[in-house]
Amino acid sequence: MRLLATTNRGFESVSAGEVRELTGAAVTVERPGLIGFDGDEADLTRLHCRARTLNRVLVELTGGAIETPADAYDQVRAVPLAEYVDPDQPIAVRGKRIGEHDFTSMDVAERVGQAIVDDLRAATGERIPVDLDDPEVVFRATVREDRFRLAIDATGETSLHRRPYRVRDHDAPVRPTMAAALCRLAGVDADTAVLDPMCGCGTIPIEAALLAGNRPLAPGREFALTDLRFLDDGALERERAAVEPRELAAPIRGLDIEDRWVTAARENAREAGVADAVAFEAADATTAAVDTEAVIVDMPFGVRTEQEGLGTLYTEFFANLRDAEWDRLVLFTAREDLVPFEPTRRLDVRHGRLEVAVLVVDRDEIDG
Ligand SMILES: C[S@@+](CC[C@H](N)C(=O)[O-])C[C@H]1O[C@@H](n2cnc3c(N)ncnc32)[C@H](O)[C@@H]1O
């Protein structure tokens, strides 16, 4: 099967590394925020249980050039859909269109839906039910400029970045799938001491503890893939049972200057099942003692902070870091111009509507 995974724009190389590690597949970047690879049913299940940087995993069914919705109809009719869905399973087609066209995403969804109904009727003699509110199988029909693509959503309507542990949200939180990607860039494993000196509601330290401890992200969560007829019953439970948590051999800590975020972070950590592995404290990152291996931080962007105060915060924070003990710093910031260290690696990423830089700084490089 050809599988697709959505990730956060700019983090494709990190997600590709994760998918390679979990499946052994060769991964290609299809476009910003989307990677593709060949895989089987076991890979689909494994990624849902173990991947931390992906937002959604899909099974690609067809794709090609499109001028009118009729082209989408023809391409869908060529897919042996009865291999993927049963004629009694309620389906929905979610259309999306990017670019200039003289048809709408609804037009595409309607033609694709008709093609699916016609295809299954030809194969089974039955009419598959359409239920846009409570479907069992969701097809995603996307037109991007002159390309059409149809995929089955194996994740379901709720993206994997919506971690159930985040019961307390920050005003400006980082997506958990991005936080997990930052942890991968920092090389976090069970032996890595990690500090997030501006941790907000704790997303980065919590993802670090989940990654380092090989702990599951959402142990009880259902995914759409369990309704797909080509997957065998019980595959998800077997994969979940095979995940072996590891003991952490180094401390993971989060600091924030505001007490309310420290309280929120502790509550989220309890929900995530890592309260034993992460310590949160109220402290000022510009003066706090730093002695760790990895510093991973999502710094204030100045959207809500006064710009002048932001300059002082960056100056004092980096002055404190220059004198401190650490090996690798991973920074998520919209104010790269205020960072005095030369990065060994940088990524341009998208954070909502903001263009943000991820900078990886190795201590050896700035000292040497
Ligand atoms: C962009 S937010 C971090 C959000 C976090 N990654 C999350 O997902 O919730 C930046 C945080 O830095 C904190 N902060 C600002 N100045 C600080 C300082 N001098 N020391 C410690 N924390 C500070 C703010 O209170 C805020 O919670």
Side-chain angles (χ1 to χ4, degrees):
M1 287 189 289
R2 184 73 183 158
L3 303 180
L4 300 169
T6 62
T7 182
N8 302 299
R9 286 171 74 120
F11 285 105
E12 299 80 12
S13 58
V14 181
S15 291
E18 183 177 44
V19 169
R20 257 196 311 276
E21 203 174 285
L22 291 170
T23 68
V27 182
T28 53
V29 177
E30 303 278 313
R31 61 163 176 78
L34 187 73
I35 56 176
F37 45 98
D38 292 334
D40 59 17
E41 294 87 336
D43 295 327
L44 207 50
T45 317
R46 189 170 315 118
L47 290 173
H48 279 89
C49 290
R50 299 182 192 235
R52 296 167 192 278
T53 72
L54 307 180
N55 291 328
R56 197 175 283 289
V57 188
L58 308 112
V59 180
E60 186 174 35
L61 299 178
T62 188
I66 183 170
E67 280 181 21
T68 71
D71 297 325
Y73 181 94
D74 293 342
Q75 288 171 37
V76 176
R77 284 303 307 269
V79 179
L81 286 163
E83 289 179 10
Y84 299 93
V85 276
D86 282 334
D88 62 343
Q89 291 189 289
I91 62 152
V93 180
R94 309 276 186 232
K96 188 168 175 187
R97 193 185 56 75
I98 294 109
E100 296 270 317
H101 306 97
D102 53 13
F103 52 83
T104 67
S105 55
M106 297 279 280
D107 296 333
V108 179
E110 188 278 322
R111 280 289 75 202
V112 168
Q114 191 59 53
I116 295 170
V117 169
D118 292 350
D119 198 69
L120 282 154
R121 189 187 283 124
T124 67
E126 290 177 58
R127 190 186 200 288
I128 193 162
V130 174
D131 184 342
L132 297 184
D133 297 324
D134 190 21
E136 241 178 59
V137 181
V138 172
F139 291 87
R140 300 213 176 255
T142 310
V143 176
R144 186 172 288 268
E145 309 302 345
D146 61 352
R147 305 295 298 173
F148 166 71
R149 190 184 323 247
L150 182 71
I152 290 180
D153 188 338
T155 300
E157 308 266 20
T158 307
S159 162
L160 298 170
H161 83 268
R162 297 206 176 279
R163 310 281 208 243
Y165 68 72
R166 217 160 71 178
V167 291
R168 294 280 305 275
D169 249 342
H170 192 270
D171 297 341
V174 67
R175 266 190 178 197
T177 43
M178 287 187 186
L182 300 178
C183 293
R184 284 186 66 88
L185 285 167
V188 170
D189 65 24
D191 301 322
T192 316
V194 177
L195 174 72
D196 175 355
M198 302 187 196
C199 72
C201 69
T203 320
I204 293 171
I206 292 170
E207 289 294 326
L210 290 166
L211 171 67
N214 199 29
R215 308 237 190 139
L217 295 169
R221 188 178 153 180
E222 289 294 323
F223 302 108
L225 59 88
T226 54
D227 286 324
L228 301 180
R229 61 162 295 180
F230 57 90
L231 284 184
D232 94 56
D233 277 351
L236 187 62
E237 280 63 35
R238 284 198 302 280
E239 184 67 38
R240 277 185 166 141
V243 177
E244 283 182 16
R246 287 186 290 254
E247 283 295 318
L248 299 195
I252 298 183
R253 295 168 59 224
L255 312 177
D256 201 284
I257 200 155
E258 292 199 41
D259 286 333
R260 62 183 172 138
W261 298 131
V262 173
T263 307
R266 287 185 182 140
E267 204 170 318
N268 287 339
R270 266 196 302 280
E271 288 292 323
V274 294
D276 57 332
V278 196
F280 294 103
E281 287 167 58
D284 183 342
T286 64
T287 52
V290 174
D291 185 356
T292 187
E293 283 165 277
V295 177
I296 311 173
V297 60
D298 158 25
M299 294 195 64
F301 289 176
V303 176
R304 291 179 186 80
T305 319
E306 202 193 320
Q307 293 298 321
E308 200 179 308
L310 195 72
T312 309
L313 174 67
Y314 273 62
T315 306
E316 292 179 354
F317 174 60
F318 289 112
N320 190 33
L321 273 193
R322 201 178 271 286
D323 296 335
E325 291 291 324
W326 50 274
D327 299 330
R328 179 171 274 192
L329 165 67
V330 176
L331 268 176
F332 185 71
T333 177
R335 295 304 308 269
E336 194 179 354
D337 56 313
L338 298 177
V339 179
F341 302 144
E342 195 57 41
T344 38
R345 182 171 177 192
R346 72 179 295 290
L347 305 176
D348 286 307
V349 307
R350 221 17 196 290
H351 182 46
R353 276 192 234 116
L354 290 174
E355 297 290 339
V356 172
V358 174
L359 308 177
V360 180
V361 179
D362 284 308
R363 182 80 209 207
D364 291 350
E365 297 289 325
I366 59 168
D367 286 347

